[in-house]
Amino acid sequence: VIGSTRNNIYSREFAVVVDLGGDDTYLSPVASARPDHQAALLIDFGGDDRYQSTVQFAQGSAFMGVALLLDRSGDDVYSSTEDFSQGAALAGAAICWDQAGDDTYRGQAYAQGAALCHGLGALIDGAGQDRCEAGVYSQAFAGPGAFGALLAQGGDDSYSVSGRAPSGYGTPGAFRSMGQGASFGFRHLASGGIAVLCDVGGSDRYEAGNFAQGGGYYFGWGSLIDLGQGNDRYAGTRYAQGWAA
């Protein structure tokens, strides 16, 4: 389907969507690849768009397929109530790429550059002051054999992976995050993958709980790289800010 420059509303799922502009609302999964729908593409050329989903594998995500969501410009909002969204893959390859604007991402588990089982998941964000929020296993997370990445350029960005899963150590008020450049392997069964969160420029804020902000568990390799000048803040609990287990 090819959308006009009007403010369009998409309530049905299509394999390919090209929208020429306008403040659009996407109520279907969009750019969602699955075994019965193995390739999906969305290109939006501009406007302050809203991406809203209540199903798994949405907004540039793939399960045994290939998906790409490309938004060229605008202050966009991405919201999902279920797992695997905004550049997430399970045995597939998926990219959510927003090239410009002050954007907001709200996900649950396996979101914003997350991958499992030989998958590749990436969230790429261009210039702008962006806000990323997720519950667990997000923002550059990689499971066995997988590669997860979150790449951001410019702007004072905010990242949070917290609030969904309690700490496995029974610490009151602490959460399990496993994100922001974190890789996880299954002990004695499978080594972890590769996860990279790279932010270029700006005064950024990173907030997480256990297992976050550059590290790997059971032969996993995770990294948080913040480049350029800026007054950055990092908050984490157990296994955070450069760790290995």
Side-chain angles (χ1 to χ4, degrees):
V1 61
I2 299 177
S4 69
T5 56
R6 295 177 180 270
N7 299 338
N8 300 311
I9 298 176
Y10 297 86
S11 57
R12 292 178 53 195
E13 186 175 5
F14 298 93
V16 177
V17 177
V18 178
D19 189 275
L20 302 180
D23 299 339
D24 306 307
T25 301
Y26 295 90
L27 301 178
S28 59
V30 301
S32 173
R34 299 180 299 278
D36 59 342
H37 194 85
Q38 292 186 323
L41 171 68
L42 183 148
I43 302 176
D44 189 294
F45 282 90
D48 298 338
D49 306 310
R50 297 183 64 88
Y51 298 85
Q52 301 177 191
S53 176
T54 56
V55 301
Q56 291 185 334
F57 297 100
Q59 301 165 5
S61 294
F63 173 34
M64 299 180 67
V66 180
L68 171 64
L69 189 160
L70 174 61
D71 191 294
R72 297 294 307 277
S73 64
D75 299 337
D76 308 308
V77 177
Y78 301 79
S79 299
S80 176
T81 63
E82 298 296 330
D83 301 341
F84 292 99
S85 65
Q86 301 156 19
L90 174 62
I95 297 176
C96 179
W97 186 1
D98 193 295
Q99 294 186 323
D102 298 337
D103 307 308
T104 300
Y105 302 87
R106 300 189 183 99
Q108 301 299 320
Y110 307 110
Q112 300 163 13
L116 286 173
C117 300
H118 301 283
L120 184 154
L123 171 61
I124 304 174
D125 191 279
Q129 300 189 41
D130 308 305
R131 183 174 181 176
C132 298
E133 301 174 350
V136 66
Y137 306 122
S138 299
Q139 295 173 14
F141 167 79
F147 181 80
L150 195 164
L151 311 176
Q153 182 177 5
D156 299 337
D157 303 317
S158 174
Y159 304 91
S160 176
V161 180
S162 187
R164 173 161 171 170
S167 166
Y169 299 100
T171 306
F175 301 101
R176 180 173 75 252
S177 293
M178 198 63 73
Q180 297 178 0
S183 177
F184 181 85
F186 297 107
R187 188 179 295 185
H188 306 305
L189 296 176
S191 300
I194 299 175
V196 178
L197 191 163
C198 183
D199 187 291
V200 181
S203 296
D204 308 308
R205 180 173 180 174
Y206 303 87
E207 178 184 354
N210 294 347
F211 300 102
Q213 300 169 359
Y217 179 90
Y218 199 76
F219 298 101
W221 187 84
S223 181
L224 192 162
I225 305 169
D226 192 292
L227 303 174
Q229 296 180 347
N231 299 315
D232 305 313
R233 296 184 178 185
Y234 302 83
T237 52
R238 186 179 301 201
Y239 291 109
Q241 301 162 9
W243 54 276

